[in-house]
Each structure stands twice: as structure tokens, then as C-alpha cells.
Amino acid sequence: MRVLVKGAGVAGLTAAFELAARGAVVTIAEIRHGLGGNASWMAGGMLAPWCERESAEQPVLDLGHDAADWWDAVLPGHVTRAGTLVLAMSRDAGELNRFASRTSGHRWIDEDEIALLEPDLAGRFRRGLFFPGEAHLDPRRAMAALHEKLAGSGVEFHFGADAQYMTGFDREIDCAGMASRDDRLRGVRGEMLILHAPDISLSRPVRLLHPRLPLYLAPRADHHFMAGATMIESLSTGQVTARSMMELLNAAYSVHPAFGEATIVETGVGVRPAFPDNLPRVESHGRTVAINGLYRHGFLLAPAMARWAAELVFDSDKPVELADETDGQRRSA
Amino acid sequence: MLELYGTKLASRLLLGTAQYPSPAILADAVKASCASAVTVSLRREMAGGRGGEKFWSLIQSLRLHVLPNTAGCHSVKEAVTTAKMAREIFGTNWIKLEVIGNHDTLQPDVFGLVEAARILCEDGFAVFPYTTDDLVVAERLLEAGCRVLMPWCAPIGSALGPVNVTALRSMRGHFPEVPLIVDAGLGRPSHAALVMELGFDAVLLNTAVARAADPVGMARAFGKAVDAGREAYRSGLLEPRDVAVPSTPTIGQAVLQ
């Protein structure tokens, strides 16, 4: 079977992998000229379904809890399984209680244990929440590695290619995100910074709770950190605003004053595709299967979505309508 | 029925639209609450309106009165500009006027508020000022042309509930004819019921519903509390007293033995 995958974001790459693994001959068409620039490229790369459950609904946890295993199996060495640390400034201590009451898979830790986990944060926070089952990866390195792996196994990549002029395929997988013409989709703008802070080391993503702007710092290689991310109801891909940058930097500075000495390596903006319930969907329309609406959970949910889509392609008789299922769970939640 | 700037509203609950887990839950919560109006933040939630048409069409599909706000504005100029943009984008002259004086406490800058209110009222806006419970500021806002006042009962998002009931009571007493809406600081349905029992005309809230574990259930609970508080106020509440009063008088009862 010849399959065309539209889009080389995390949804397209994972779908290509699942399809190729089942024996499909896969071609990927990406309108951009490389892997960069899409929402996945700007992602935090946190595989943190228990933390996300604070604001996301149950399907995000159900579909995401084995994402770390998938990435670890497909790209050995890319996944760091060191958990997530959730902290709050002392005046926002109530936010920690609230976070704890909305989530599972965590335990309370005190100042000493925070110091054991993250020596650089010693003495800065009296208590926190630790989610030991969570993991993280570097989205850009993971995308590049997956691209290389797929290309090496015979998947054809066409960058700068408009998929509508490509023909001769049995099935199409639409993973174009915001570029898909789906009226139900909206864009949720996210702004992020990449900081280089040579004085600080963190072993795991740190989330700083704040009543208005929860921030996370995701460690990347060589003392680089991604600070993210805002959530704004907008399709705009314009530059990061001063307000957002100040708030992100303020929060980073609150985690550790040494972030004040960091250099700002990059500012980025991504637009997350989302359905009205902020849950993803895999849908089949004739010869096309569409994966979309991964919202802020691209790396977390893409493996499960890719499997659903591959099953739909190879087992068309089986009615797999994720949209209905998640909808059912939402109503019963 | 509640009347604000000539518009009759069926419900005395106004809901904010920020911070919900998803637009779908927001829509369900608004329906469950039976709210009559929703506030929308042009600046904070929608990047100044650029590219946010989809969210706006979701809000429009609720078919309620829309009260745009100037959340996130720290100066008179910013607030006035944002109000004018909101009028264009949302097609209404209603504006919830916020001029924030302190970034951390989100306390209103009452001096800037009065100034911005005067400018906007003269420009034909129906201004809903987010203010403190200060009576003199309230008078100045009315002089500036406001016909509705929206005092806080505690800092925004604090969920503390009415921290100064005496001040709220005296505000009600001083302005018996002005629609008063408690805006900000409500954490629980019982807080909403309490201020409605004091005779306030409506409440406006966001965080307490949006960040509840089940926003839809909490929205419904607030809707009921607002109705209960209003009905209690209209039905005439008993004043508390220091000594017990038996509900069945004993003196003067007929002796039937």
C-alpha cells in the first residue's frame, strides 16, 4: 500500500513510522523547507500526562501514559525518565495544594528532597510535588532522529512540496495541523524562549505554578533551557510580545536568580491546532485519515494517534472513531 | 428584572471566559449557569484581537450579551485604546473598564479609572467600572457618567469572598438606585449568595468556575446561589438577635388538660 503523509510535524512523523512498520510504502510531503518552524518544533517535549491532567481531561492521560515507552523504543537514548518537579513561590503555596488535588501520580517532597533531586534549587523552595513517572525529550533532536530513521528505512521525504500535486497513492494521512482546512480547528498561540544559563543545571522539567501564568523550564543539552509557554486564543505567528517575554523571564528568574544572567538564544512562536474540547481526533473520510487537534500535547499524544491512524488504514472494517470515544469520556468525566 | 444601560438581563450572573480547560467546557459551563452575559478579554486572551476570530465566533455562538473588558491595561491611554478596539471587534458599546494599579495584586488604579471612565462615557460607551468599595471613588465614577458600578469584594482570583461586608453594605445603602455588581474575589457559591442577600444586583466571576475541578457543576452551583440570594433578599431576611426567640410561643397557650 502506498500512503502519502501530509505534514512532517510530530503527528506526521509518528504516523509515518507506524505505517511503515506495518509495511506501507510511505511518502511525506511537507510544505515547509525543513523540519523547523511548526508547532512541534516549538514544543516543550514533556511527556507529562499526570501533570497535564490538572487542566486536561482524562483522555489525555489515558492516551499519553505510555508515550515515553513509545519514544524510548523508537528512539533509544532520547527519552530522559527523571520525572517532573512542580514548585510554587511561597505566596502561591495554595496553587500547589490545588495542583495536587487535581492530579495523581505524585508525592509531596520537602526542601531536602528537592535539593537531592535538583541541587541547584537547594534552599529555594520549602516543598514541592514530584511526579516520578514522567519523562521528557528534546523535540528538535527527536524529530531530526526520527526523520533520519524513517529516511533510512525507505520513507521518501519531499520538503517544500505541495501535497495537492502529488498523486498515485492508495491512502492519505492529513497531519497538516493548522494548514488542514477543518472549520472546527482554532489556533492557540504559544510563545517560548530558549535560554542558555551556564550556571544552572536541571535534570528534569520544572513547573512553576502561578495563578496567572504557569511556566515550565525544560532542560535541553549543554545548560540550555526552554521556557514556555503562553496560551493565547490567536492564530497570529507574529513575534513574541514584550509582556509575554517579561512574564516568562520573571518566572524563570523566580525559579533561580541565575536565570537573570542567562542569554536569550531564541524566541519562538507556535500555533497549536485545537478542537473546541482541546482533545485530539483521528477521523476517516474516504481515502483520507486525518490526525489533528493535538493542541499542547503533540509529543505526548502523537504515538497513540499514529497507532489509531495506522489501524484505520490497515483495518478499515474496524470502526475506530476516536472522536466519539473521547467525546463519551468527556461527558462521563 | 435586572436592567443595565437599558438592556434587560434574565439572569443576575455574569461569567468570565478565561482559563477554562477548553472552549467546549466553557460553553457547557455558561449554559449550566444560565448566565445572561459573558466577559471577554481582548488583550489577555486574544492577543489584542489579532487572529482570534475563531475564539470570538465560539463566544458569539453562546448567544449572550458580551461585555468586553480592558483586562491587563495599566494606564488610561491603554484602557481607552483597548476599549475602542473592543467596540469595533465585538460590535458593542459595553465595556468593563479595568485600569490596573498594581501588577501583583491587580488592584484597580482608581484615579486612572475615573479619568478613563470620563473619556469613555463622553465617547458613548456604557462603562462598567471595576472599582474598590470606596464610596468617594464610586461618586466620582457616577459623576463621570457611569450608570453601573462593579466593586470588588476581594482581590481578583483570590477566592476570599467578601472581606469587608460592612463596606459592601454601606455601598448598597449609599447608592440604592445604581445597579451594583460584585466583581472579583468570589470563591464559593455561598459568597455569591451572601452578596446577593445584601441586595447587590448581580455578580461577575470567572476563576472560581473556570478553575474548579468540574467547571460545569460549579457554574450550575453559582447560578443557583445567585438566584437563592436574590430571592432571599426580596423575601425580607430576619435580622439577627442576641437572644433566643422560641418559634412556638409558650405563654398564653391554651391549657387543654
Side-chain angles (χ1 to χ4, degrees), chain A residues 43-260:
Chain A
M46 292 180 298
L47 306 172
W50 287 274
C51 278
E52 286 300 313
R53 184 68 180 89
E54 183 254 336
S55 60
E57 294 186 66
Q58 187 62 29
V60 170
L61 177 51
D62 295 341
L63 296 167
H65 75 269
D66 58 356
D69 294 338
W70 189 94
W71 287 105
D72 215 4
V74 173
L75 299 175
H78 279 261
V79 176
T80 306
R81 294 173 183 266
T84 305
L85 186 55
V86 180
L87 303 169
M89 304 304 292
S90 50
R91 60 163 200 191
D92 299 328
E95 293 293 313
L96 270 181
N97 296 332
R98 179 183 177 277
F99 199 91
S101 72
R102 299 295 158 74
T103 53
S104 59
H106 58 70
R107 58 186 166 85
W108 285 99
I109 59 174
D110 61 10
E111 194 170 346
D112 295 342
E113 204 173 346
I114 293 171
L116 278 178
L117 288 168
E118 298 291 358
D120 282 357
L121 300 183
R124 296 198 51 75
F125 297 90
R126 304 291 87 78
R127 53 180 208 148
L129 288 168
F130 182 49
F131 290 74
E134 299 192 328
H136 69 281
L137 50 70
D138 179 337
R140 297 176 182 187
R141 285 184 56 222
M143 285 169 77
L146 192 49
H147 168 233
E148 195 180 325
K149 184 171 182 124
L150 290 168
S153 66
V155 171
E156 247 184 71
F157 280 81
H158 294 271
F159 287 103
D162 191 339
Q164 64 173 323
Y165 301 113
M166 300 176 68
T167 52
F169 297 93
D170 303 312
R171 302 294 289 265
E172 284 185 9
I173 314 293
D174 183 351
C175 302
M178 285 312 302
S180 296
R181 288 200 181 78
D182 188 330
D183 267 355
R184 299 167 299 171
L185 281 177
R186 72 186 203 286
V188 182
R189 173 179 157 101
E191 296 148 299
M192 57 84 98
L193 310 173
I194 293 188
L195 305 172
H196 181 220
D199 299 338
I200 308 173
S201 295
L202 295 177
S203 305
R204 56 187 57 71
V206 171
R207 293 182 183 229
L208 182 72
L209 303 183
H210 183 279
R212 290 196 295 283
L213 185 89
L215 162 121
Y216 57 82
L217 286 163
R220 301 270 167 92
D222 187 29
H223 301 282
H224 285 73
F225 300 86
M226 181 211 160
T230 54
M231 309 267 282
I232 297 164
E233 292 287 344
S234 171
L235 273 172
S236 164
T237 53
Q239 283 293 312
V240 174
T241 63
R243 177 196 299 275
S244 296
M245 186 139 154
M246 275 190 295
E247 288 191 333
L248 290 171
L249 289 175
N250 256 333
Y253 186 75
S254 314
V255 170
H256 200 296
F259 277 109

Side-chain angles (χ1 to χ4, degrees), chain B residues 125-149:
Chain B
F125 279 90
V127 177
F128 295 65
Y130 159 62
T131 182
T132 64
D133 50 28
D134 189 287
L135 298 179
V136 180
V137 173
E139 269 169 23
R140 293 282 192 276
L141 287 167
L142 295 174
E143 283 164 19
C146 298
R147 294 291 165 261
V148 173
L149 296 174

Side-chain angles (χ1 to χ4, degrees), chain B residues 154-177:
Chain B
I156 294 181
S158 68
L160 283 170
V163 290
N164 191 348
V165 173
T166 312
L168 291 176
R169 220 188 274 276
S170 95
M171 196 163 190
R172 181 69 284 177
H174 271 76
F175 305 105
E177 302 302 325

Side-chain angles (χ1 to χ4, degrees), chain B residues 73-190:
Chain B
C73 291
H74 286 73
S75 71
V76 173
K77 195 177 161 206
E78 275 182 300
V80 169
T81 311
T82 305
K84 286 179 178 171
M85 276 169 64
R87 178 164 63 181
E88 245 171 67
I89 291 173
F90 300 118
T92 173
N93 68 338
W94 281 19
I95 190 76
K96 175 184 161 184
L97 182 60
E98 280 186 34
V99 182
I100 299 301
N102 183 296
H103 183 77
D104 257 2
T105 62
L106 299 181
Q107 198 155 352
D109 168 359
V110 293
F111 305 97
L113 182 68
V114 171
E115 195 184 332
R118 184 172 298 119
I119 296 168
L120 291 172
C121 288
E122 275 170 16
D123 196 7
F125 279 90
V127 177
F128 295 65
Y130 159 62
T131 182
T132 64
D133 50 28
D134 189 287
L135 298 179
V136 180
V137 173
E139 269 169 23
R140 293 282 192 276
L141 287 167
L142 295 174
E143 283 164 19
C146 298
R147 294 291 165 261
V148 173
L149 296 174
M150 302 214 294
W152 68 355
C153 75
I156 294 181
S158 68
L160 283 170
V163 290
N164 191 348
V165 173
T166 312
L168 291 176
R169 220 188 274 276
S170 95
M171 196 163 190
R172 181 69 284 177
H174 271 76
F175 305 105
E177 302 302 325
V178 180
L180 298 180
I181 302 173
V182 168
D183 175 13
L186 297 169
R188 296 158 181 253
S190 53

Side-chain angles (χ1 to χ4, degrees), chain A residues 53 56-60 62 275-279 281 322-333, chain B residues 22-32 213-217 220:
Chain A
R53 184 68 180 89
E57 294 186 66
Q58 187 62 29
V60 170
D62 295 341
F275 288 109
D277 56 8
N278 288 347
L279 292 172
R281 278 169 178 63
L322 183 67
D324 292 346
E325 287 207 359
T326 50
D327 204 40
Q329 287 179 25
R330 194 168 77 71
R331 302 253 173 269
S332 65
Chain B
S22 70
I25 291 176
L26 159 63
D28 289 349
V30 169
K31 277 175 209 143
D214 173 9
V216 180
R220 193 176 299 118

